[in-house]
């Protein structure tokens, strides 16, 4: 019966290139301007013409935020593939490819260093590693980062960039939402500030847990932020969604975010906010 058979054609992504493309010249997906690549990179991967924010890696994010070198924790934690899961390819191979692409064992880097002279713990998610999805390793690393902040009396910044929970680890990935949220509640009891930075995209179980639990929820301009994607919602409620739905500016207007901050102002803003909160 055709009802129970999966169509082999993959869904069209319909997405423009989010990272700065390779090559000497890049065409901005937003304003269609052709720009010298070096100029975009020097501008923190923000289009100098229209301020479109290209996606950056976790490492580039940390370079942008920290004053200098940082210390990384729990680099050796790797997923055990508890379900021996395979979809179009085995999960084990996806993990392997993620490791090769990002030089990291999973989709988050947890670190400590100095930002604007303030000692701080930063966890930055890596979208290039299986869509920044949150499995057991991401959950454990973020939880440990929260606990480190509490133990060492440091403020915490978590940079989200994620498609949500990692379905290849089934319900174990969903449990991470509760685990991280509980750790954040203890950080709150210790009266230490937590700033959540939401970047493009922040969706699914990450939005539904720690990304929305910041003392300040800050987003980059134009970032897609939501639980289910707009296409799924439109198909479910059979209504056209308003323009800009699930983008940072729309969420700010509707009280879901505290600030939308240009990447070039980001570090200064975070440091100022932390000084205020401390
Ligand atoms: Zn542009």
């Amino acid at each position: 019966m055709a009802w129970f058979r999966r169509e082999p054609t993959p869904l069209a992504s319909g997405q423009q290139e989010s990272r700065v493309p390779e090559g000497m010249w890049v065409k901005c997906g937003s304003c269609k301007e052709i720009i010298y690549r070096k100029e975009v990179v020097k501008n923190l991967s923000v289009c100098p013409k229209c301020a479109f924010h290209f996606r950056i890696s976790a490492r580039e994010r940390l370079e942008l935020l920290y004053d200098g070198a940082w210390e990384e924790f729990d680099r050796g934690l790797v997923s055990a593939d508890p379900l021996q899961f395979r979809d179009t390819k085995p999960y084990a191979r996806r993990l392997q490819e993620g490791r090769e692409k990002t030089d990291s064992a999973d989709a988050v880097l947890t670190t400590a260093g100095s930002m604007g002279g303030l000692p701080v713990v930063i966890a930055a998610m890596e979208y290039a590693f299986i869509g920044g999805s949150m499995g057991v390793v991401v959950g454990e690393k973020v939880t440990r980062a929260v606990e480190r902040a509490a133990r060492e009396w440091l403020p915490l910044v978590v940079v989200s960039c994620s498609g949500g929970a990692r379905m290849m680890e089934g319900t174990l990935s969903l449990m991470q939402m509760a685990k991280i949220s509980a750790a954040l509640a203890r950080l709150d009891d210790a009266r230490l500030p937590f700033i959540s930075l939401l970047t493009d995209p922040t969706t699914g179980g990450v939005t539904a847990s720690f990304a929305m639990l910041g003392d300040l929820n800050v987003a980059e301009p134009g970032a897609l932020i939501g639980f289910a994607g707009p296409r799924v919602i439109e198909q479910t409620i059979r209504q056209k969604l308003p323009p800009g739905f699930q983008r940072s500016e729309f969420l700010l207007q509707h009280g879901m975010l505290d600030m939308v901050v240009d990447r070039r102002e980001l570090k200064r803003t975070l440091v100022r906010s932390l000084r205020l909160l401390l």
Side-chain angles (χ1 to χ4, degrees), residues 28 30-33 35 47 49-52:
C28 169
S30 180
C31 67
K32 314 290 179 211
E33 201 75 41
I35 315 150
C47 171
K49 299 280 191 284
C50 73
F52 174 77

Side-chain angles (χ1 to χ4, degrees), residues 33-167:
E33 201 75 41
I34 311 266
I35 315 150
Y36 194 36
R37 184 174 193 275
K38 270 193 187 152
E39 206 185 319
V40 182
V41 173
K42 202 174 72 197
N43 202 31
L44 306 179
S45 298
V46 175
C47 171
K49 299 280 191 284
C50 73
F52 174 77
H53 283 50
F54 288 92
R55 190 174 297 147
I56 58 176
S57 69
R59 209 161 287 280
E60 289 169 307
R61 176 72 60 186
L62 295 172
E63 276 164 14
L64 184 157
L65 292 178
Y66 281 129
D67 302 334
W70 63 82
E71 190 184 354
E72 191 187 336
F73 308 110
D74 303 315
R75 247 190 98 76
L77 285 188
V78 291
S79 172
D81 189 8
L83 304 178
Q84 303 286 300
F85 192 85
R86 73 176 294 148
D87 45 88
T88 51
K89 51 181 149 174
Y91 176 40
R93 198 190 315 159
R94 287 187 193 278
L95 288 169
Q96 181 60 35
E97 288 170 1
R99 276 193 285 271
E100 282 160 11
K101 238 189 318 184
T102 63
D103 179 39
S104 171
D106 217 296
V108 70
L109 301 183
T110 49
T111 60
S114 156
M115 178 172 76
L118 278 177
V120 57
V121 171
I122 303 181
M125 301 190 75
E126 175 55 71
Y127 193 78
F129 196 107
I130 318 186
S133 52
M134 171 173 61
V136 172
V137 173
V138 169
E140 181 63 20
K141 284 175 85 170
V142 174
T143 304
R144 288 188 192 185
V146 178
E147 288 170 348
R148 177 178 300 271
R151 198 170 56 237
E152 297 181 7
W153 212 253
L154 298 171
L156 172 73
V157 177
V158 178
V159 186
S160 297
C161 187
S162 171
R166 188 176 294 170
M167 287 304 137

Side-chain angles (χ1 to χ4, degrees), residues 198 202-203 207 211-212 217-220 222-227 243-260:
L198 298 90
T202 298
T203 59
T207 311
M212 283 294 176
N217 295 327
V218 181
E220 284 195 332
L224 174 72
I225 299 165
F227 183 63
F245 179 74
Q246 288 188 326
R247 295 286 164 184
S248 352
E249 294 74 12
F250 187 95
L251 269 75
L252 179 69
Q253 272 173 18
H254 292 82
M256 296 282 285
L257 294 173
D258 298 301
M259 275 191 271
V260 175

